[in-house]
Amino acid sequence: MTGIGWIQIALFCAVVLALVRPLGLYMTRVFAGERTLLSPVLAPLERGLYRLAGIDARHEQTWLGYGLAMLVFHALGFLLLYAILRLQEGLPLNPMGQAAVAPDLAFNTAASFVTNTNWQNYGGEGTLSYLSQMLGLTQQNFLSAATGIALAMALIRGFSRASAGTVGSFWVDLTRCTLYVLLPLCVGLTLFYVWQGIPQTLGAYVEATTLEGARQTIAVGPVASQVAVKMLGTNGGGLFNANAAHPFENPTALANFVQIVTIFALGAALTNVFGRMVGDERQGWAILSAMGALFLAGTAVTYWAESAGSPVLNGLGLTGGNMEGKEVRFGIVASALFAVVTTAASCGAVNSMHDSFTALGGMIPMINMQLGEIIVGGVGAGLYGMLVFVVVAIFVSGLMVGRTPEYLGKKIEAREVKMAMLAILCLPLMMLGLTAVATVVPAGLAGPANAGPHGFSEILYAFTSAAANNGSAFGGLTGNTPFYNTTLALGMLVGRFFVIIPALVIAGSLAAKRTVPASAGTFPTHGGLFVGLLVGVILIVGGLTFFPSLALGPIVEHLAGAAGQTFSTGG
Amino acid sequence: MSRPSSSLFSAALIGPALLGALRKLDPRFMIRNPVMFVVEVVAALTTVLFVRDLLAGAGGLFFSGQIILWLWFTLIFANFAEALAEGRGKAQADSLRRTRTEITAKRLTGGGRAYETVPGTALKVGDVVLVEAGDLIPSDGEVIEGVASVNEAAITGESAPVIRESGGDRSAVTGGTQVLSDEIKVRITAAAGSTFVDRMIALVEGAARQKTPNEIALNILLAGLTIVFVFAVASIPSFASYAGGTIPLVVLVALFVTLIPTTIGALLSAIGIAGMDRLVRFNVLAMSGRAVEAAGDIDTLLLDKTGTITLGNRQATELRPVRGVSEQELADAAQLASLADETPEGRSIVVLAKERYGIRARDMASLNATFVPFTAQSRMSGVDLEGASIRKGAVDAVIAAASGQPAASRGSNAALAYLPAAETEIVAEIRAIAEAIAKAGGTPLAVAKDGRLLGVVALKDIVKGGIRERFAELRQMGIRTVMITGDNPMTAAAIAAEAGVDDFLAQATPEDKLALIRREQAEGKLVAMCGDGTNDAPALAQADVGVAMNTGTVAAREAGNMVDLDSDPTKLIKIVRIGKQLLMTRGALTTFSIANDVAKYFAIIPAMFLGLYPQLQALNVMGLASPQSAILSAIIFNALIIIALIPLALRGVTYRSVGAAALLRRNLLVYGLGGILVPFIGIKLIDLAVTAMHLA
């Protein structure tokens, strides 16, 4: 670890924190339906869209109406994406003549993008046409991100409203999020990335002759726009297979820095939106602090583990950091930081190969996801996932002040607890349950490239990443098989919607409640004590469940490595 | 006044509780507690497998036999906690039952005093019975005729008799209490089996206990956590097979049972029963557990001024003479005027004169004095002595009387004093003094001797000692206090300020009270109040916690959701504390239970996987002797901690009025951090013992 490394991490945190309030203020105004800087341009467009779709923007929905609208919208989006992938061969914008995507892969990819996971079992440049990329994937990059934010809004309204029957309009939230938040930021970022050297073209791949005279095909495409939204919307699906490690997706140090910042930007700002909407910005900061504490701890461990390098090699007298699977131009700190950020935030874009991290360095990204992507998390999803944990933390310890647990004046009762537990349950069920299946059936055992604990980690990482809707992978796993395509898609769908629906029920239930005014007897939820409690509950309730699996994967791999032991295939 | 409290673990309670613990192993009973039911299911399953292995003559059964034994101990300990809590209530219920032996009733037939003797159990609602001196009142009812002194020691423990009379606010009588003098006619308001004492017995025995809202929510959380751990444990065999080995079922079961929140699951119902029990010890009877829980959530407390905040009556506190009159002179006149005045105000003037001015009581007869009683017209009282007349009373009335006095009766000096200019000066001075007293929350009484205004006696409501500190404490708890009084706003404001209440409702009518409660509730607040009169009934019913005084009317008792047998309005504050204590105890033990999991993982995971990966020995941070001793120690700790925490569950976590933030910090430190650390130490110690005894 070096001083300059820590300065980079500190600079990253400072920039993200600086963006929290301005972005939070802007988004609060957008979702409150107030005038913003962009209203003169976008308001007519917005009204036109509503007229076209026959939406009454003043009509608000109950949690059930909101949820049904969201589900129908996603079902149609899923079908559209699946159809595009299956039919891309005959559709326009296919200069490279890509063939139709296989059914199981198309199913996996559709589930992946609809759920904001962006797990890529396909190699982008070798499989998908530009139409599939743009109309299919990029469209979902926007809409799945907007959906996450919309749902966070519904839950925030549950806390901020009192005795209300409705939680907002899904259609309006979706439209305003896309139009006022994602699109303008993406346009700006795309221009920035183009300036940094990222290609943006609809032309065919470039043929080049190398110095030795060999012919080489250089894949290009509408990369800059895709990169902008994949980071901002915590999607993570790159145009190229190598994702952000590819020089066309991530050409410079500055581009790399901006990309990491944009992964966190909206998710961090949403905590401020939350604070503003419930009338106390400190509440937002408290939640961001809990996220920040977990993030810094994870970053420190990964940075330390990667700097210390492989214990096996250290044992052989080869000291120095672990550079396997990392771009030399990014080095250890930018790779470690990227890995922690991308897994903390449900992004899943990678600028280094997590599979090649040290055992402990690679364990942190896994833990980040196992906690449910709540460390800033996916846009919107991180906040509502975190609020689910807040409900549990408040309930477990809120009783200790001698009152029925309350959060922001809302009593946490049986219904909220039931839904929060349901949301928390589905993650270990998918992550551990599917891993348990894959580690015994032959189709599952065929996947990992490594033997021993590391092979186990590859399987565990895949299902963890899917259920947490992250999308990053331990690259060693061969995922494009009918078994993994199907099971991973199942993990992604359950991991997304079985959290969303309970969160919406909580939103509806809370909105209908009266708000109890705070008093000296009320559990204070804006101080360090609450932050500590929340972190503790997240680690114990959310994290300990995975201790046995981590012990059998990265932990034993690390301990074995320290003892100089390795595991070989067929050994 | 409370009954002598039995110690937590008296021998008389433990025997029956142990029996009860075994009886409660019945699955039909266990299913009410999801966490412990799951433990029972796995215990039964492993027992069946154990027997099968035993018959098959398999080896290595000593270890699994011990694990299974401890699983059953875990269950029995949990049931023991509940049975013990119930047993403590039962002891009280039995003493109640003894008072309710066969009562015969004198049921009135037709008019007059004609009655037939019937057993108390044959009475129906609406029957009218005659109860004479020495009789036990056969059932709950309302006095419709007569007045009697009643010994209610059977239910209140208070031996001093109380007066029960028809009409008014003291008309309710309770079955099982005894009329000491006189006779009353009682209309029966409760059928046999549903009387007050019956309900009390059912409540303290825990038979009528229903799960409270928070308890239901907590059970859901615990069930959810149990399912999470099902996933965590059920996936292990696959993981182990990937690593090329197997994990014995009994080890998986041990891990599962130690991880699921058995500690709080075992103690949850004991905590609830003990909370109820604690209320009963304070002579408060809650009609539902829900009300006890609501008491902890109270945001606003409505308190009647009289009797709660102030002593019952106004008392003389100060004498303020006009210029030219000494305090001693005023005191002498005021005392003379009050000697025969039997009102509490009058007596207090005599007391003040004696205590502060050393004027002894004088004999009215020897002074040849005649008492002039208070009338609504004169609004004064006083004495006529030989050659002098003294009057005290409402300021306006005394001034009017003084100025209207015929000149002839004035003394020679008085002529000078009663020059018109001086007269108005004195009147103005009297009025100024009176106004100052009224502003300070007192009531002024003017005193005049022979038509000469001497000064003013200040009567004041005496705020109870220590009440200000109580309110400060309540404020720290986050509870707002509102004083309810019939006084005018000026007086009310002054008393409110002196007592330190947060707000007051002056010139309050029952409708005002009801409106105030509704207003508070509309803001999302929970309101508690106490009351006794029939006109309090709507407000009592509207309040989230309505404490009816036992001396009150039947209507009030029916409307409230708690009855205070001591009829002490300040009891509300205690009730709130008990409610908070109940919630806190649940929270503390839940936190403790969940925090315990950290150590249990560190005990069992390395032990479980050591055969697969010897490197995991590094995770054995406690340095436990062997995998078997580690697993056994964890499961033993898990069972013993239940026993260790029974006293805390029954006694409750101490509530301190220090504000939520400080309270949370303290409890998180003790039960959160403590919950993480204690099992590390406990499991290590048990491991040392287990190893020393060669159990594993």
Side-chain angles (χ1 to χ4, degrees):
Chain A
M1 291 188 279
T2 60
I4 199 83
W6 284 110
I7 290 173
Q8 285 185 51
I9 293 170
L11 185 67
F12 164 76
C13 296
V15 173
V16 169
L17 287 176
L19 287 173
V20 165
R21 291 200 75 227
L23 271 177
L25 177 65
Y26 176 70
M27 284 162 79
T28 308
R29 296 183 66 91
V30 165
F31 288 102
E34 292 169 27
R35 273 187 74 80
T36 63
L37 203 65
L38 295 173
S39 294
V41 188
L42 295 175
L45 187 58
E46 186 191 355
R47 281 195 297 275
L49 283 172
Y50 293 147
R51 206 168 303 130
L52 201 66
I55 301 286
D56 176 4
R58 285 159 304 177
H59 175 76
E60 292 217 340
Q61 292 159 310
T62 62
W63 72 265
L64 190 62
Y66 202 99
L68 285 175
M70 183 272 300
L71 283 176
V72 167
F73 183 74
H74 277 75
L76 293 176
F78 184 91
L79 287 176
L80 176 69
L81 178 53
Y82 185 79
I84 290 174
L85 293 173
R86 296 285 292 137
L87 302 172
Q88 69 172 3
E89 196 170 7
L91 293 172
L93 282 179
N94 188 8
M96 301 312 295
Q98 306 284 14
V101 181
D104 59 321
L105 183 58
F107 175 69
N108 181 281
T109 306
S112 171
F113 278 77
V114 165
T115 58
N116 195 246
T117 309
N118 299 28
W119 173 272
Q120 293 170 282
N121 266 349
Y122 62 90
E125 59 270 53
T127 319
L128 300 183
S129 71
Y130 287 164
L131 185 83
S132 294
Q133 290 275 17
M134 290 165 65
L135 191 62
L137 304 187
T138 310
Q139 181 236 144
Q140 280 301 332
N141 276 349
F142 276 97
L143 295 181
S144 65
T147 300
I149 295 177
L151 287 158
M153 286 303 143
L155 186 54
I156 293 174
R157 291 191 189 109
F159 282 106
S160 67
R161 291 180 178 183
S163 312
T166 58
V167 294
S169 163
F170 176 69
W171 308 120
V172 172
D173 286 345
L174 189 73
T175 310
R176 294 189 71 90
C177 182
T178 313
L179 217 52
Y180 288 84
V181 181
L182 296 177
L183 272 178
L185 286 172
C186 281
V187 167
L189 284 167
T190 303
L191 292 174
F192 169 81
Y193 290 139
V194 168
W195 168 57
Q196 286 293 300
I198 298 183
Q200 177 77 7
T201 171
L202 291 177
Y205 297 170
V206 178
E207 292 282 333
T209 310
T210 63
L211 285 176
E212 288 111 33
R215 295 187 60 81
Q216 192 181 6
T217 307
I218 299 172
V220 290
V223 188
S225 59
Q226 173 83 351
V227 166
V229 73
K230 92 166 177 187
M231 299 301 182
L232 193 67
T234 60
N235 293 287
L239 203 94
F240 301 116
N241 200 25
N243 208 302
H246 194 295
F248 280 176
E249 286 207 20
N250 197 357
T252 65
L254 181 60
N256 186 63
F257 186 81
V258 171
Q259 288 188 20
I260 325 181
V261 167
T262 51
I263 295 175
F264 264 7
L266 291 185
L270 275 169
T271 59
N272 186 252
V273 176
F274 172 71
R276 287 178 192 272
M277 283 178 68
V278 300
D280 183 2
E281 280 191 66
R282 292 177 309 172
Q283 304 290 350
W285 288 114
I287 287 183
L288 189 59
S289 304
M291 294 171 166
L294 289 165
F295 166 73
L296 285 178
T299 306
V301 171
T302 300
Y303 184 32
W304 164 79
E306 293 308 300
S307 301
S310 154
V312 180
L313 297 179
N314 286 348
L316 296 173
L318 297 170
T319 52
N322 172 31
M323 278 302 291
E324 183 194 320
K326 292 186 182 67
E327 283 286 287
V328 178
R329 59 208 173 95
F330 299 135
I332 288 175
V333 67
S335 301
L337 183 61
F338 200 114
V340 176
V341 169
T342 195
T343 50
S346 181
C347 178
V350 291
N351 75 347
S352 57
M353 295 303 116
H354 296 180
D355 199 21
S356 302
F357 273 38
T358 59
L360 295 183
M363 180 175 76
I364 294 300
M366 222 183 309
I367 293 176
N368 282 344
M369 296 185 285
Q370 286 166 341
L371 295 179
E373 296 291 25
I374 47 163
I375 307 170
V376 179
V379 284
L383 185 65
Y384 64 70
M386 185 55 124
L387 288 175
V388 162
F389 267 109
V390 168
V391 165
V392 173
I394 289 280
F395 189 78
V396 167
S397 297
L399 283 170
M400 281 202 295
V401 301
R403 284 173 71 91
T404 295
E406 293 157 356
Y407 184 54
L408 306 172
K410 299 287 190 173
K411 279 195 162 42
I412 306 297
E413 291 166 307
R415 192 176 169 84
E416 290 77 36
V417 172
K418 193 189 290 175
M419 289 302 137
M421 284 318 288
L422 206 61
I424 288 175
L425 272 178
C426 76
L427 291 184
L429 175 66
M430 285 295 116
M431 292 172 184
L432 295 175
L434 293 174
T435 305
V437 171
T439 47
V440 289
V441 301
L445 289 170
N450 297 73
H454 194 76
F456 178 77
S457 296
E458 288 175 356
I459 299 176
L460 179 64
Y461 193 103
F463 289 110
T464 301
S465 173
N469 297 146
N470 182 276
S472 68
F474 262 19
L477 187 84
T478 308
N480 188 11
T481 65
F483 173 79
Y484 278 108
N485 276 332
T486 321
T487 47
L488 288 169
L490 178 69
M492 291 186 269
L493 292 170
V494 172
R496 176 82 164 174
F497 294 104
F498 279 67
V499 177
I500 284 183
I501 293 168
L504 265 179
V505 178
I506 292 175
S509 164
L510 289 178
K513 290 187 187 201
R514 283 187 299 214
T515 302
V516 185
S519 70
T522 315
F523 189 126
T525 55
H526 51 71
L529 199 60
F530 173 72
V531 173
L533 167 71
L534 184 57
V535 170
V537 167
I538 290 169
L539 290 177
I540 292 178
V541 175
L544 271 186
T545 320
F546 298 95
F547 188 43
S549 56
L550 293 173
L552 291 176
I555 293 177
V556 76
E557 185 189 346
H558 171 79
L559 293 170
Q565 191 195 349
T566 54
F567 301 84
S568 58
T569 320
Chain B
M1 170 64 221
S2 67
R3 257 168 242 105
S5 62
S6 47
S7 76
L8 282 175
F9 287 103
S10 75
L13 289 175
I14 287 184
L18 276 173
L19 264 179
L22 291 174
R23 214 175 301 126
K24 282 168 189 278
L25 285 176
D26 183 343
R28 282 169 302 177
F29 176 83
M30 292 298 292
I31 197 142
R32 286 170 53 189
N33 185 338
V35 177
M36 298 319 287
F37 182 71
V38 168
V39 177
E40 184 167 45
V41 169
V42 297
L45 268 176
T46 45
T47 308
V48 169
L49 293 177
F50 178 78
V51 171
R52 191 199 61 187
D53 289 350
L54 198 66
L55 295 176
L61 290 180
F62 181 56
F63 171 68
S64 52
Q66 285 188 80
I67 296 281
I68 292 166
L69 198 65
W70 282 102
L71 289 182
W72 288 108
F73 276 144
T74 310
L75 282 167
I76 291 170
F77 292 165
N79 289 345
F80 175 71
E82 189 176 312
L84 194 62
E86 284 174 358
R88 289 180 356 124
K90 262 199 190 80
Q92 298 192 352
D94 288 344
S95 75
L96 281 173
R97 252 198 215 99
R98 271 197 295 279
T99 68
R100 209 190 39 156
T101 42
E102 280 300 291
I103 301 175
T104 51
K106 298 167 179 168
R107 183 161 63 194
L108 293 169
T109 55
R113 287 175 51 89
Y115 63 79
E116 54 180 0
T117 306
V118 294
T121 47
L123 291 173
K124 288 187 291 294
V125 174
D127 284 349
V128 178
V129 296
L130 177 71
V131 191
E132 293 169 297
D135 289 349
L136 287 172
I137 296 170
S139 188
D140 294 358
E142 190 170 12
V143 181
I144 54 170
E145 198 183 310
V147 50
S149 64
V150 178
N151 178 359
E152 295 194 337
I155 54 163
T156 63
E158 178 62 63
S159 54
V162 292
I163 299 298
R164 290 287 177 262
E165 61 192 344
S166 62
D169 287 347
R170 293 184 297 176
S171 61
V173 288
T174 310
T177 58
Q178 189 180 28
V179 171
L180 294 179
S181 69
D182 307 291
E183 60 174 48
I184 45 176
K185 286 180 184 169
V186 175
R187 190 194 297 116
I188 301 300
T189 54
S194 64
T195 64
F196 204 60
V197 173
D198 289 318
R199 272 191 283 174
M200 202 159 158
I201 291 171
L203 279 167
V204 294
E205 282 189 337
R209 219 177 74 82
Q210 285 177 319
K211 286 200 178 117
T212 58
N214 272 316
E215 214 177 338
I216 293 170
L218 195 50
N219 260 317
I220 293 171
L221 177 86
L222 299 181
L225 287 174
T226 307
I227 300 173
V228 168
F229 291 120
V230 168
F231 299 155
V233 175
S235 56
I236 288 177
S238 301
F239 299 170
S241 102
Y242 175 89
T246 53
I247 307 288
L249 180 69
V250 74
V251 172
L252 290 172
V253 163
L255 175 65
F256 175 65
V257 169
T258 49
L259 290 185
I260 63 175
T262 46
T263 313
I264 178 67
L267 297 173
L268 193 52
S269 64
I271 295 169
I273 296 168
M276 218 44 153
D277 189 55
R278 227 169 292 136
L279 265 187
V280 174
R281 271 164 213 282
F282 276 112
N283 275 344
V284 176
L285 203 52
M287 297 304 163
S288 69
R290 186 183 284 264
V292 186
E293 228 169 51
D297 285 345
I298 289 306
D299 300 286
T300 307
L301 211 52
L302 304 192
L303 296 166
D304 277 323
K305 182 197 81 176
T306 308
T308 311
I309 295 169
T310 62
L311 297 169
N313 301 298
R314 286 177 296 188
Q315 294 184 355
T317 54
E318 202 186 351
L319 297 178
R320 310 251 319 246
V322 292
R323 254 179 307 143
V325 177
S326 73
E327 274 188 52
Q328 197 71 26
E329 189 181 353
L330 175 60
D332 186 68
Q335 193 243 19
L336 273 175
S338 308
L339 274 177
D341 183 354
E342 282 302 313
T343 63
E345 287 86 357
R347 279 200 300 256
S348 77
I349 292 173
V350 177
V351 169
L352 182 75
K354 183 177 172 193
E355 284 180 353
R356 200 174 300 168
Y357 303 99
I359 301 169
R360 292 170 156 267
R362 284 164 282 193
D363 183 31
M364 288 281 283
S366 65
L367 291 171
N368 268 336
T370 38
F371 180 55
V372 183
F374 178 89
T375 66
Q377 283 77 36
S378 69
R379 296 194 291 147
M380 295 187 294
S381 65
V383 284
D384 284 331
L385 302 158
E386 281 169 22
S389 85
I390 306 173
R391 294 286 180 275
K392 73 169 201 295
V395 175
D396 287 342
V398 174
I399 289 175
S403 50
Q405 203 93 7
S409 70
R410 289 175 190 158
S412 53
N413 293 338
L416 198 74
Y418 273 45
L419 286 169
E423 183 177 340
T424 47
E425 211 170 88
I426 287 173
V427 167
E429 194 182 346
I430 289 276
R431 285 194 198 284
I433 293 170
E435 197 171 317
I437 291 171
K439 267 199 185 129
T443 307
L445 281 185
V447 180
K449 187 176 184 184
D450 297 334
R452 179 179 161 222
L453 291 165
L454 297 178
V456 183
V457 179
L459 292 176
K460 253 186 113 174
D461 266 318
I462 303 298
V463 172
K464 281 187 177 176
I467 200 88
R468 207 184 163 80
E469 289 70 31
R470 286 252 184 116
F471 291 142
E473 213 177 276
L474 284 169
R475 207 166 301 121
Q476 287 223 296
M477 291 175 166
I479 296 170
R480 207 167 70 90
T481 43
V482 181
M483 181 182 82
I484 309 285
T485 174
D487 291 343
N488 65 58
M490 201 199 278
T491 310
I495 297 170
E498 191 183 343
V501 292
D502 298 309
D503 204 351
F504 64 88
L505 183 66
Q507 288 166 343
T509 62
E511 293 75 33
D512 290 342
K513 261 197 223 184
L514 192 61
L516 175 69
I517 294 174
R518 293 214 169 116
R519 206 159 53 236
E520 293 280 322
Q521 287 174 336
E523 288 174 23
K525 295 179 182 167
L526 261 61
V527 183
M529 68 163 285
C530 58
D532 50 8
T534 302
N535 55 15
D536 282 335
L540 277 173
Q542 179 72 35
D544 300 282
V545 174
V547 182
M549 299 294 105
N550 191 43
T551 52
T553 58
V554 172
R557 263 162 52 163
E558 291 295 320
N561 46 17
M562 290 193 195
V563 175
D564 177 18
L565 301 175
D566 297 340
S567 305
D568 169 11
T570 52
K571 203 67 89 50
L572 259 182
I573 300 170
K574 270 189 191 129
I575 295 173
V576 169
R577 291 186 83 99
I578 291 173
K580 286 195 175 295
Q581 203 180 14
L582 174 72
L583 296 175
M584 261 174 58
T585 309
R586 271 194 210 135
L589 290 181
T590 307
T591 307
F592 186 83
S593 187
I594 293 174
N596 272 349
D597 278 358
V598 180
K600 292 171 184 168
Y601 267 114
F602 275 96
I604 295 186
I605 292 297
M608 187 181 235
F609 295 143
L610 212 55
L612 305 175
Y613 296 116
Q615 300 87 348
L616 286 174
Q617 179 64 25
L619 291 182
N620 183 5
V621 290
M622 286 172 268
L624 305 178
S626 70
Q628 295 205 330
S629 75
I631 293 165
L632 194 57
S633 305
I635 195 107
I636 293 176
F637 175 84
N638 193 54
L640 291 185
I641 195 74
I642 296 174
I643 289 286
L645 290 174
I646 288 178
L648 184 67
L650 297 190
R651 215 176 39 230
V653 172
T654 321
Y655 181 82
R656 289 155 215 261
S657 350
V658 288
L663 201 59
L664 184 68
R665 192 174 311 118
R666 184 180 176 280
N667 286 338
L668 267 183
L669 204 66
V670 174
Y671 300 101
L673 205 59
I676 292 176
L677 297 179
V678 165
F680 276 103
I681 300 162
I683 292 174
K684 176 66 186 174
L685 290 178
I686 294 170
D687 180 72
L688 290 175
V690 162
T691 314
M693 289 188 277
H694 302 289
L695 293 175

